[in-house]
Amino acid sequence: MNKASHLKDIGLKATGPRLRIMELFENSKDRHLSAEDVYKKLIAEDADIGLATIYRVLTQFEQAGILIRHHFESGKAVYELNEGGHHDHMVCYRCGKVTEFFDPKIEELQNQIAAQHGFSIQDHSLYLYGECEDCSKSERKPFRR
């Protein structure tokens, strides 16, 4: 299915900005992008799309289920394509790098703990915060929370 058809199927008109932003998420090596990241990448491609339009499109894509929004400790929202599979995140406090991971043992343990407390998990998010390998090797002072 092409991008324009996909947008129409979910009730969104296939405008130039929507198509460009969708392509950006599909083709970017960075899987987690803020509105400002999207803006900078589009400016670098000489696209004439304003920041207000980017925010509007990101919100529409989130509401339509195309994107998932996360609020990591940086305080700003980041978005990733909703590809249907569950995964968790490790976030570097220093550089903001986000690493995705999935561990079936962690998932099973969460279910066991929930069951022990009579709790039925409907959804969850796991974010681990620390230093990535590159930052831990750098000459800067260690991060202190």
Side-chain angles (χ1 to χ4, degrees), residues 49-131:
I49 301 173
L51 194 53
T53 299
I54 291 167
Y55 275 107
R56 192 169 40 256
V57 170
L58 293 176
T59 300
Q60 292 166 343
F61 282 3
E62 178 192 6
Q63 291 171 344
I66 296 170
L67 297 178
I68 298 171
R69 179 175 48 173
H70 299 281
H71 289 281
F72 299 132
E73 289 291 316
S74 67
K76 65 181 176 182
V78 294
Y79 299 83
E80 70 175 308
L81 277 177
N82 182 357
E83 298 175 317
H86 171 74
H87 58 267
D88 298 306
H89 299 88
M90 291 182 283
V91 183
C92 180
Y93 268 120
R94 284 192 184 181
C95 69
K97 177 182 174 184
V98 178
T99 303
E100 297 175 353
F101 71 96
F102 176 81
D103 188 313
K105 291 183 237 172
I106 291 174
E107 300 301 317
E108 179 57 32
L109 183 57
Q110 290 174 128
N111 289 328
Q112 289 173 9
I113 292 168
Q116 289 169 1
H117 293 274
F119 195 81
S120 173
I121 298 175
Q122 303 302 310
D123 192 14
H124 79 278
S125 299
L126 176 62
Y127 304 132
L128 303 176
Y129 297 96
E131 276 184 347

Side-chain angles (χ1 to χ4, degrees), residues 5-17:
S5 297
H6 180 65
L7 288 175
K8 288 178 187 170
D9 288 347
I10 59 174
L12 293 173
K13 192 174 174 184
T15 63

Side-chain angles (χ1 to χ4, degrees), residues 1-8 10 15-33 38 41-42 45 57-58 61 65-68 79-83 100:
M1 176 185 300
N2 71 34
K3 290 172 192 59
S5 297
H6 180 65
L7 288 175
K8 288 178 187 170
I10 59 174
T15 63
R18 287 182 183 138
L19 292 170
R20 290 291 297 269
I21 291 170
M22 183 178 276
E23 287 174 9
L24 181 75
F25 273 93
E26 289 174 341
N27 298 326
S28 177
K29 68 177 181 68
D30 300 318
R31 293 189 36 86
H32 302 84
L33 300 169
V38 171
K41 287 178 180 290
L42 291 173
E45 296 174 3
V57 170
L58 293 176
F61 282 3
I66 296 170
L67 297 178
I68 298 171
Y79 299 83
E80 70 175 308
L81 277 177
N82 182 357
E83 298 175 317
E100 297 175 353

